[in-house]
Amino acid sequence: MGKTATKRRKRRTVTPAMQARSAASKAAANELLHNYAVACLNNPEEFEAYRQAAASLGWKLDPASSEPGYSLLNIALLLAQRPGLTHCAGFRDWHAQGRQVAVGEQALGTFRRIGRKKTDEAEDKPKDGQDGEEKTGRNRGYYVKRGTFDVSQTVPRERCPHCGTEPDGTERSNAQCPPTCSVFLPREGVLPPREYVMDLLLSQISDDEPEDGDA
């Protein structure tokens, strides 16, 4: 009988320096969210701009769902980093859409989950780990991952179907569509309820960490 070798993914060693960088990144993101929430709550126009941006970017009520889109918390964080967003995607997704990230553009950060959600059943009943030892469930944590770009940070990697702009022939073309190109226009979408947005913004001025299900 042949021996089947099972490859296990090597766990990345988390160093104190990495933990410090992650903590600093989360602290900076929470400060951005706090300031953005204050601005929205004090300015009705900013509040409505947030709702409009959420409709354009594609918001989802359940952050844990597999549906495309961003949680309202992450949309607030994106807007706090770069106001006026209309359509965001990752590096590869932009390639699939015929665009590429322009030279020199900095990625935007969003909250991502790590770990597994602790269910009521998991709290009472430990699970066996791969190494045969019993392992208890753990709450999900959060970190800030950079890898999101707005359409304004991208350029055509092939002929733009909206305005006809083409790459300039260089390896990293920076030929940009004109500001009037419809690729930059907000997308149509459903506005998030005012009450839900209000509750989310108020929760950010309490200086609490993101709750489970918010990111």
Side-chain angles (χ1 to χ4, degrees):
M1 183 183 250
K3 206 174 189 183
T4 303
T6 303
K7 290 186 178 178
R8 291 183 182 178
R9 180 177 293 179
K10 211 170 184 180
R11 289 188 177 180
R12 187 180 180 186
T13 302
V14 179
T15 65
M18 292 167 62
Q19 290 179 326
R21 285 196 298 269
S22 178
S25 183
K26 285 198 295 183
N30 284 324
E31 183 178 0
L32 281 172
L33 279 171
H34 177 96
N35 294 338
Y36 183 73
V38 170
C40 287
L41 292 170
N42 289 335
N43 186 338
E45 291 185 2
E46 191 73 34
F47 183 93
E48 289 304 320
Y50 173 32
R51 294 180 69 221
Q52 294 288 343
S56 179
L57 291 171
W59 67 282
K60 55 184 181 181
L61 186 60
D62 180 8
S65 75
S66 59
E67 296 179 0
Y70 298 90
S71 69
L72 286 175
L73 183 76
N74 271 331
I75 290 175
L77 179 56
L78 288 169
L79 288 166
Q81 296 167 86
R82 192 180 179 95
L85 304 177
T86 58
H87 183 36
C88 287
F91 193 88
R92 292 182 180 178
D93 288 335
W94 280 124
H95 266 244
Q97 296 180 51
R99 301 185 70 83
Q100 65 185 17
V101 176
V103 176
E105 289 292 343
Q106 297 295 314
L108 306 174
T110 54
F111 279 115
R112 302 295 178 92
R113 287 188 181 86
I114 53 177
R116 296 179 178 180
K117 183 177 182 180
K118 184 189 289 185
T119 61
D120 293 338
E121 184 179 351
E123 290 177 8
D124 299 328
K125 183 179 178 182
K127 296 182 179 180
D128 290 335
Q130 290 184 348
D131 56 4
E133 297 178 358
E134 287 187 336
K135 295 185 177 180
T136 57
R138 62 172 178 166
N139 288 325
R140 290 178 292 186
Y142 293 88
Y143 70 104
V144 177
K145 180 177 181 180
R146 294 196 168 274
T148 301
F149 300 87
D150 180 54
V151 64
S152 63
Q153 297 176 275
T154 68
V155 295
R157 60 186 296 264
E158 54 194 45
R159 189 176 186 276
C160 177
H162 304 282
C163 65
T165 299
E166 296 184 353
D168 58 22
T170 60
E171 185 177 350
R172 290 301 307 273
S173 169
N174 260 343
Q176 182 58 283
C177 300
T180 54
C181 179
S182 60
V183 73
F184 301 123
L185 293 177
R187 272 60 173 170
E188 291 185 4
V190 178
L191 290 170
R194 290 180 55 85
E195 296 77 11
Y196 190 82
V197 172
M198 181 69 73
D199 288 344
L200 179 67
L201 293 173
L202 287 171
S203 72
Q204 297 312 305
I205 63 175
S206 64
D207 294 327
D208 290 334
E209 287 287 325
E211 298 265 344
D212 233 18
D214 279 345

